[in-house]
Amino acid sequence: MLDPRLGSLRLLSEQSPYFELLSTCPATGARRGRLHTAHRVVDTPVFMPVGTKGTVKAMSQQELLAMGFPIILGNTYHLYLRPGHELVREAGGLHRFIGWEGSILTDSGGFQVFSLQHIRRIAQDGVRFRSYIDGSQHLFTPERVMEVELALGADIIMAFDECPANPCTHQYALESLGRTHSWAQRCADSYGRLRLEQEWPNPDPKLFGIVQGSIYEDLRAQSADFIASLDTPGIAIGGVSVGESREDVLRVIEWTAPRLPAHKPRYLMGVGTPKDILDSVERGIDMFDCVLPSRLGRNGSAYTSLGRVNLKNQRFTRDFSPLDPNCDCWCCQNYTAAYIRHLYMSDEMLVSRLLTYHNLYFYQTLISGIQTSIEQGCFPAFRDAFLERYEGGDRA
């Protein structure tokens, strides 16, 4: 039984368009939309919790769905290495394997492969790399990645791209972009062919292309135009979570988003903080993912309406108030900041559960507020009120 807060979730058969652009904020580029996937209808803007290896750490799939998340992210690189895409396919696809009733997006693994510089080698045909698990040798080509992602059975699958490190020279970014564009075309060709040749757990996954180009305006423009020409159902902006400044990320969005088709969803990969999300929504972004809510939770930090807090700070030793006085999640309703700090300092497993749950609840509440404010035509006022309280808090 679905939580009533998931009100807009319906089966795909009830609607036909893949993406509906429902409204746009008259004062900004903020968009309110609806994404129809093979498993769910996903209201946008949307935040996707990161379940890299088939789980969002410290959370159950049922908790995520009840909290209001209609879609999560899995990672092709990690799932390919363990447990293996063929095993997942044998289980009936990733949805059945992990017991998830919502939608799934799988990253192609490009970011993971390219971040492991000491155990990979890039060539025009693809990337050779060693497994971090057992040292075995592997080759990811666009064709191989499409095969793996189709076997996993996600609702949205990402093209294989090169994610250049930051900083990098214009010359290297240009060479890298050539590979990304070549691989994107090969992904599209392979995707079309493989879907006809075999049966897969999900018969209708949607392929998204990825815009790259580092922090260079001319390359971002070139990439946006090329990826848009492939006519994939959605388009992602990649390469913005590898060490760029916030200013650079916003510039990349401002260069890229206006060049993308308005009738397709726009996905900003690997971003971000609450302020990042608000700033990006303002510039026309529809989809987000980031490890911060779960990672920071496991490391003793929490997002609250009064700002981010670090429970390692001694000031919370005798703080017998809720973690966030404005939050109604079960963590804040039942436990004090002092108790949660005690759990963290005692290395108790429960603290990861509590803080991860709270952080994700905070993110979903933020996203719901953004959606409503765009619908009601008051997104700028919502953004300003949220940031005034969030950035003016004194509990850090």
Side-chain angles (χ1 to χ4, degrees):
M1 187 74 177
L2 292 179
D3 187 284
R5 284 176 294 177
L6 303 182
S8 65
L9 296 188
R10 297 178 296 276
L11 294 179
L12 179 62
S13 59
E14 298 181 18
Q15 297 281 342
S16 54
Y18 180 64
F19 180 70
E20 300 173 84
L21 183 57
L22 302 177
S23 59
T24 302
C25 172
T28 70
R31 293 148 46 102
R32 176 75 171 85
R34 192 160 286 153
L35 183 67
H36 297 261
T37 78
H39 286 85
R40 295 290 174 191
V41 174
V42 179
D43 285 325
T44 64
V46 65
F47 179 83
M48 300 177 285
V50 177
T52 303
K53 302 176 184 179
T55 176
V56 177
K57 289 181 174 61
M59 297 288 293
S60 74
Q61 281 72 275
Q62 292 70 34
E63 287 174 310
L64 293 169
L65 201 61
M67 198 183 298
F69 289 105
I71 181 170
I72 61 175
L73 182 145
N75 184 262
T76 296
Y77 168 81
H78 288 286
L79 293 168
Y80 162 80
L81 290 176
R82 186 165 57 194
H85 62 290
E86 290 296 351
L87 185 145
V88 174
R89 182 178 185 177
E90 182 182 341
L94 195 57
H95 292 82
R96 290 187 180 179
F97 186 63
I98 70 173
W100 172 247
E101 298 179 6
S103 300
I104 297 176
L105 179 150
T106 47
D107 186 1
S108 69
F111 175 82
Q112 284 72 25
V113 167
F114 294 109
S115 66
L116 302 173
Q117 296 185 20
H118 60 293
I119 56 174
R120 54 85 169 156
R121 182 172 61 82
I122 304 171
Q124 283 303 115
D125 62 331
V127 181
R128 296 187 180 276
F129 62 94
R130 293 202 315 273
S131 166
Y132 71 94
I133 297 171
D134 60 12
S136 56
Q137 295 284 338
H138 301 269
L139 172 64
F140 264 13
T141 64
E143 294 77 14
R144 180 59 165 165
V145 168
M146 288 296 95
E147 180 183 344
V148 174
E149 290 197 78
L150 287 169
L152 294 175
D155 299 273
I156 300 171
I157 64 177
M158 303 304 299
F160 190 50
D161 63 325
E162 179 178 352
C163 186
N166 182 69
C168 70
T169 66
H170 186 279
Q171 180 60 37
Y172 183 86
L174 178 61
E175 295 170 2
S176 171
L177 194 62
R179 281 188 287 271
T180 286
H181 290 175
S182 172
W183 293 353
Q185 182 65 68
R186 288 167 57 187
C187 281
D189 294 343
S190 177
Y191 163 83
R193 184 182 69 255
L194 287 169
R195 288 185 64 205
L196 296 176
E197 292 177 352
Q198 301 182 44
E199 292 186 1
W200 304 96
N202 182 355
D204 190 32
K206 302 301 184 184
L207 174 65
F208 281 26
I210 303 176
V211 174
Q212 289 286 356
S214 188
I215 58 172
Y216 300 104
E217 183 175 5
D218 61 323
L219 299 185
R220 286 288 175 174
Q222 178 184 334
S223 188
D225 293 347
F226 177 84
I227 296 299
S229 75
L230 296 178
D231 199 26
T232 56
I235 298 177
I237 301 174
V240 290
S241 57
V242 289
E244 299 86 356
S245 67
R246 285 195 72 259
E247 292 73 21
D248 280 337
V249 173
L250 293 179
R251 277 193 288 268
V252 167
I253 298 170
E254 289 165 358
W255 297 333
T256 308
R259 306 184 77 97
L260 302 180
H263 65 285
K264 296 184 178 183
R266 303 163 178 172
Y267 167 30
L268 187 66
M269 305 181 75
V271 175
T273 68
K275 182 167 173 50
D276 290 335
I277 290 174
L278 287 164
D279 286 343
S280 302
V281 165
E282 183 178 359
R283 289 161 174 80
I285 300 299
D286 306 301
M287 303 170 65
F288 303 88
D289 79 277
C290 189
V291 299
L292 284 177
S294 52
R295 178 177 292 172
L296 289 177
R298 297 194 305 276
N299 287 281
S301 291
Y303 288 101
T304 81
S305 59
L306 303 177
R308 199 177 111 188
V309 300
N310 185 345
L311 274 298
K312 295 187 285 289
N313 192 316
Q314 192 170 359
R315 66 174 297 186
F316 293 105
T317 303
R318 289 178 171 81
D319 186 343
F320 303 118
S321 63
L323 186 62
D324 184 348
N326 300 307
C327 179
D328 63 355
C329 79
W330 59 258
C331 172
C332 291
Q333 293 300 301
N334 292 283
Y335 305 104
T336 66
Y339 176 64
I340 297 171
R341 181 182 190 277
H342 157 70
L343 293 176
Y344 184 81
M345 301 306 292
S346 302
D347 199 26
E348 287 288 345
M349 288 188 293
L350 178 59
V351 72
S352 292
R353 293 266 298 125
L354 295 180
L355 290 180
T356 300
Y357 186 97
H358 167 79
N359 283 347
L360 287 170
Y361 192 97
F362 176 87
Y363 265 63
Q364 182 59 14
T365 300
L366 171 60
I367 288 294
S368 295
I370 291 172
Q371 292 174 356
T372 300
S373 71
I374 298 173
E375 289 173 2
Q376 297 177 349
C378 59
F379 172 73
F382 172 86
R383 175 201 60 202
D384 293 347
F386 175 91
L387 290 175
E388 181 180 4
R389 184 166 60 176
Y390 182 78
E391 296 180 336
D394 62 353
R395 299 191 73 207

